[in-house]
Amino acid sequence: MTVTVRCHQLSVSVDEAVLLPETSFSAEEPALIALTGANGTGKTTLLKTLVGRQLPSTGEGLINGQQPYEFDPVFRAAVASLIDTPPMARDMTLTEQLALVRISWGAEDAAAAFTAAEQTLQQLTIGELGDRFPYELSAGQLQLFAVGLTLSRPFSLLLLDEPERHLDTDRVEALITLLEQRVAEGALVITATHRQEIISRAGRQLDLNPIPDHQ
Amino acid sequence: MSAPAQRLKAVRRLYLGREGAPTAGDRWFSLYLISFVTAFYIVPVAYVIGDFLDPSFAGRVTQETSEPYAAAGVTLLAIAALWAGRIQGPVFLTPFLAHTLLATEIPRRRVLIRSVLTAVTGTGLVIGGAAAVGLFALTHTGVWDWSRFGLLAAAAFTGGLQLGLLAFLGQRLRRRALLLCTGLVALQGVAGALLPVVNLATPAGWAASLWAGGPAWLLAALVLTTAAALVLVAAEPAALGRLPAERVVGQSRRISDARLFTSTGNINDAVELFRAAPAHRLHRASVSAGPALLSGLRQDMVGAARSPLSMLSAGVLIPAGAALLTLAAPAAGAGFQESNLLAAVPLGVLGGLLLFFGTGPPAEGWRQLKNEFDAAALFGWAPRTALARRLLWPLLVTGVFAAAGAAGVVVLSGSAHWSEAFWSLGLAAAALSARFFQSMRSRDIPVEFLAPTVIPGGMDLSAVKILVWLGDGVIITVTAALAVVVLPWQPGTLAAVLSGMVLATLIGGWARTGQQLSAGTARAPRRS
């Protein structure tokens, strides 16, 4: 199922602070979109607005023509996000947690869920860590695991906030490959990023930096 | 995809199979402990209280004239439940499960119903159980027959369910709706107090009728109270479906962290999680030159203005504590009567606890003071200056709020309870000094407390030492409150003992800092 995202004159302000200046864009095809901009330009705010965690001050951001609405099961099934570090179970191994996410989304049997979880870890280059607990991981490994938790569920729109945090060049490459794979399967992926490798491989760049004034 | 129920079942099976998950044996052991404590401690204590209780006193507190007071008490409990739910509601899971399951398209009611039912039933059982102890004692005096005891215990359980569901409403509602709801509950309480006939049409009134109403009205009141609970239960599925995931995950994360901190003895860190976040900026106002005394006062005032919710909690807890202690203090001096102890002891303990917890927000500066001493090289205040800077605000706020609470009781009761009000102010001073004592301790448990302390007979008291260290402020305050309420003091002796207690606690707290009042600059901290 394809998904469309349309933002029209969307902006967010709190008191006198502008968190997201007026932004308009639309995306209707499966693609990897790099959301760029300096710190404080509103990348995270835009993502939070699209998942319904932040109300717009002006304009609108629509997913499949509808306002983001977390109480709608259809919206929840369509949109996956990794904006903050997700909670992890202290006393479950990485494989168990990934398998649990798959089972919560209807994996037919536990054995298949565990096999798929191990494959996800392999793709993220941390296949050998499947039996570890989260507290035994480095910051980069934890970030890869957080990405794995998000990718273990089905979605047609994926919103990521700087998923490359703490990752070295090889791991960023693995991450891009996984994201491209999801795009090939029909998903629309919007990722806030500062890494040139991701920007150059993205099909499209959405820059939130203010346009320089040429007077 | 398989049906939601099957998916949830599979998730729970996997989750409960994790390492460290509670086993069936753990649950049976918990049940065994509860049964043991109930059978061998709670029931005998209730029996002894019943034996000890003066039947005429029991008759007075259960006669029909006490109905408006019971209705007011139920109203206050309802408001407290609403706002307690705002801070920590009954709907929570472990953070990982909450985040995972609330992101799926499985209906939220299905995901959360087990959690809310468990918490609400638990609230009903705890409140029903606590009420049953008091009811057992009262029934034992002969004021009621045992069939009424059964009815009242059932009603207390139903009332507990209602309070749990109100806490759920507090968790679910937006701020404005919650304020509206609080206003409505308060309105029916005030209307019932002014016009007793209104109590015939309100849930608080029905509950009060169960307590003090005539036998003819008893069954109707129970039916109406149960019906009110059922209305809340019926509203629950719709409310569960609209519970924002961010709120549930946030509260689940917080309660999980608080449990972890508590299990390792880090009570300060656990409490820190529930501290209200600053809501206003005012950053320039907090930096000021001028006399040290005034700059500290200004800093504390700015801190209070930034976190109005914290100050609001102090504004509720301190006057409430002082009011309860004013009611309980007639036991002191000439008013002392053994038969009043059943009411005076719980009132005194509750009043002491409210006072102590209420002093937390105004004494926030004392935590900063401790930090200043722990980082002496960074600040450079002379110890006496550092202390003086942070003294005024807690004294002022606690004094004013406590005086307001005590004076309120004196004015409302229309009798000259000025001496009781004076003793409750003395206990406010004790609570504040206990707060100072606690604020000046180190964050970490002293290492020597971890070593075994074996007494003759082979018992190890190290756990007791740690518990006392963790709850020192509470223990001091409650001890002071009980001392005032339980013992037949002469006023002069009581004043001397209370003053000595406050002074000793202040000196003990200061000793914990390792600083000298006469020193020119602060020195490196000492662990205590």
Side-chain angles (χ1 to χ4, degrees), chain B residues 26 33 145 187 206 238 323 345 358 389 520:
Chain B
D26 294 337
L33 272 185
D145 57 25
L187 186 68
W206 302 332
V345 168
R389 288 178 74 244

Side-chain angles (χ1 to χ4, degrees), chain B residues 372 375-383 385-386 520-522:
Chain B
E372 287 175 24
L378 288 177
F379 291 94
W381 297 104
T385 313
T521 52

Side-chain angles (χ1 to χ4, degrees), chain B residues 389-463:
Chain B
R389 288 178 74 244
R390 297 297 198 173
L391 265 187
L392 272 182
W393 180 248
L395 283 176
L396 212 66
V397 172
T398 308
V400 169
F401 282 161
V409 170
V410 174
V411 171
L412 287 176
S413 64
S415 55
H417 284 304
W418 291 109
S419 66
E420 290 85 346
F422 174 77
W423 295 127
S424 83
L425 287 181
L427 286 170
L432 197 59
S433 64
R435 172 64 63 181
F436 180 78
F437 185 74
Q438 181 178 299
S439 302
M440 292 303 119
R441 75 175 179 214
S442 302
R443 290 182 73 82
D444 304 319
I445 297 171
V447 179
E448 61 269 24
F449 281 17
L450 302 176
T453 309
V454 182
I455 59 168
M459 272 182 77
D460 179 12
L461 292 185
S462 55

Side-chain angles (χ1 to χ4, degrees), chain A residues 14-15 53 55 69-71 73-74 76-77 79 81 84-92 96-101 103-108 114 133 145 149 153-154, chain B residues 1-2 6-7 10-12 14-15 17-21 95-97 99-108 174 241-246 249 253 256-257 260 281:
Chain A
V14 174
D15 297 333
R53 281 170 54 184
L55 286 175
Y69 189 59
E70 69 159 310
F71 304 121
V74 177
R76 294 205 298 268
V79 182
S81 65
D84 308 310
T85 304
M88 297 165 188
R90 280 187 287 264
D91 43 9
M92 291 178 84
E96 285 170 343
Q97 294 187 56
L98 294 184
L100 188 143
V101 173
I103 290 168
S104 75
W105 282 95
E108 287 303 328
F114 272 87
F133 296 106
F145 176 54
L149 283 171
R153 54 156 290 181
Chain B
M1 287 181 188
S2 52
Q6 287 173 317
R7 284 158 59 184
V11 165
R12 287 194 176 119
L14 177 57
Y15 192 70
R18 74 193 191 279
E19 191 174 302
F96 172 65
L97 266 195
H99 180 265
T100 302
L101 293 176
L102 295 182
T104 67
E105 84 287 26
I106 300 174
R108 287 203 172 157
R174 288 171 186 268
R242 297 290 175 86
L243 201 53
E246 200 175 0
V249 173
R253 227 189 248 263
S256 167
D257 289 347
L260 186 67
R281 290 181 181 80

Side-chain angles (χ1 to χ4, degrees), chain A:
Chain A
M1 177 188 159
T2 56
V3 67
T4 63
V5 177
R6 196 171 74 83
C7 292
H8 179 63
Q9 296 180 336
L10 176 70
S11 77
V12 177
S13 303
V14 174
D15 297 333
E16 291 167 4
V18 178
L19 302 186
L20 174 67
E22 209 170 272
T23 303
S24 296
F25 79 95
S26 65
E28 295 173 359
E29 299 292 328
L32 174 59
I33 298 178
L35 185 61
T36 59
N39 293 140
T41 48
K43 300 185 293 297
T44 305
T45 306
L46 175 58
L47 296 175
K48 282 184 177 174
T49 311
L50 290 177
V51 294
R53 281 170 54 184
Q54 174 79 54
L55 286 175
S57 304
T58 65
E60 59 184 7
L62 304 176
I63 312 280
N64 286 335
Q66 305 282 326
Q67 302 277 1
Y69 189 59
E70 69 159 310
F71 304 121
D72 177 7
V74 177
F75 174 79
R76 294 205 298 268
V79 182
S81 65
L82 176 59
I83 296 176
D84 308 310
T85 304
M88 297 165 188
R90 280 187 287 264
D91 43 9
M92 291 178 84
T93 65
L94 307 194
T95 310
E96 285 170 343
Q97 294 187 56
L98 294 184
L100 188 143
V101 173
R102 286 182 181 277
I103 290 168
S104 75
W105 282 95
E108 287 303 328
D109 66 279
F114 272 87
T115 307
E118 283 161 4
Q119 282 171 356
T120 303
L121 291 173
Q122 291 288 354
Q123 289 172 315
L124 287 164
T125 72
I126 50 173
E128 73 283 6
L129 306 179
D131 288 335
R132 288 203 192 170
F133 296 106
Y135 68 86
E136 295 174 311
L137 303 183
S138 71
Q141 289 165 341
L142 269 179
Q143 177 64 15
L144 286 168
F145 176 54
V147 171
L149 283 171
T150 312
L151 295 182
S152 292
R153 54 156 290 181
F155 52 82
S156 44
L157 171 63
L158 176 61
L159 301 165
L160 301 167
D161 190 10
E162 299 181 24
E164 74 274 15
R165 270 175 280 185
H166 307 297
L167 300 188
D168 61 35
T169 309
D170 289 346
R171 303 301 186 281
V172 171
E173 183 58 36
L175 172 69
I176 297 171
T177 305
L178 266 173
L179 297 182
E180 286 176 338
Q181 196 180 322
R182 295 308 164 101
V183 172
E185 290 166 5
L188 173 59
V189 179
I190 300 177
T191 177
T193 183
H194 293 288
R195 289 290 282 258
Q196 199 54 47
E197 301 98 301
I198 298 179
I199 297 169
S200 61
R201 296 268 289 274
R204 184 176 159 194
Q205 181 180 356
L206 182 64
D207 191 10
L208 294 185
N209 282 319
I211 300 164
D213 194 2
H214 298 293
Q215 288 183 346

